[in-house]
Amino acid sequence: MAQLSPDREHPPRLGSRGQPEESRAAILKAAANEFSEHGIAGARTDSIARAAGVNKALLYYYFKDKETLYGSVLDNAFSGMKQKVFQVLDSDLPSRQKIMAYAGAYFDFIASNQI
């Protein structure tokens, strides 16, 4: 009997051994999808763990509770915007151009980071 390769049968399970950054990133991505679809009240940590390919214990290892996970998802989402917006605000542009560049950077970030 031919054996299916692990990636065709089931996606590889992530864990903290040897790949903690990948596990954490997978959890954040799965949580962002779950929260955007169901909100914080309707999101289920079981669904997040399953979608991330980790067990629920690992999810709680990285994030104390669902509220902490939600905060981390928001921090992760807005860190890129913060970088782009601060770059504009720190520029030497005249005030009017700075406001227009700020608005453009903000909307570009929102448009390019939809879940």
Side-chain angles (χ1 to χ4, degrees):
M1 181 172 172
Q3 187 176 13
L4 290 175
S5 66
D7 60 348
R8 291 182 62 185
E9 187 178 334
H10 298 289
R13 290 191 63 82
L14 299 174
S16 60
R17 290 188 183 167
Q19 48 191 353
E21 296 84 13
E22 292 87 350
S23 296
R24 190 174 193 285
I27 293 168
L28 286 171
K29 181 178 179 184
N33 289 329
E34 181 78 4
F35 289 133
S36 69
E37 190 171 326
H38 302 286
I40 190 168
R44 299 289 173 248
T45 54
D46 288 334
S47 298
I48 294 168
R50 188 172 36 259
V54 302
N55 64 42
K56 205 166 155 182
L58 188 62
L59 188 145
Y60 286 113
Y61 173 79
Y62 287 112
F63 306 98
K64 178 180 138 192
D65 53 28
K66 188 165 68 167
E67 289 73 22
T68 302
L69 176 56
Y70 184 72
S72 294
V73 166
L74 292 178
D75 288 345
N76 190 51
F78 288 110
S79 66
M81 183 178 72
K82 179 179 161 184
Q83 180 184 10
K84 291 192 180 282
V85 168
F86 281 2
Q87 196 173 37
V88 170
L89 295 176
D90 290 340
S91 72
D92 292 331
L93 292 171
S95 298
R96 185 180 188 88
Q97 287 178 319
K98 191 179 282 194
I99 291 170
M100 295 303 290
Y102 167 84
Y106 174 80
F107 286 111
D108 288 346
F109 177 82
I110 297 299
S112 66
N113 286 287
Q114 297 199 11
I115 296 175

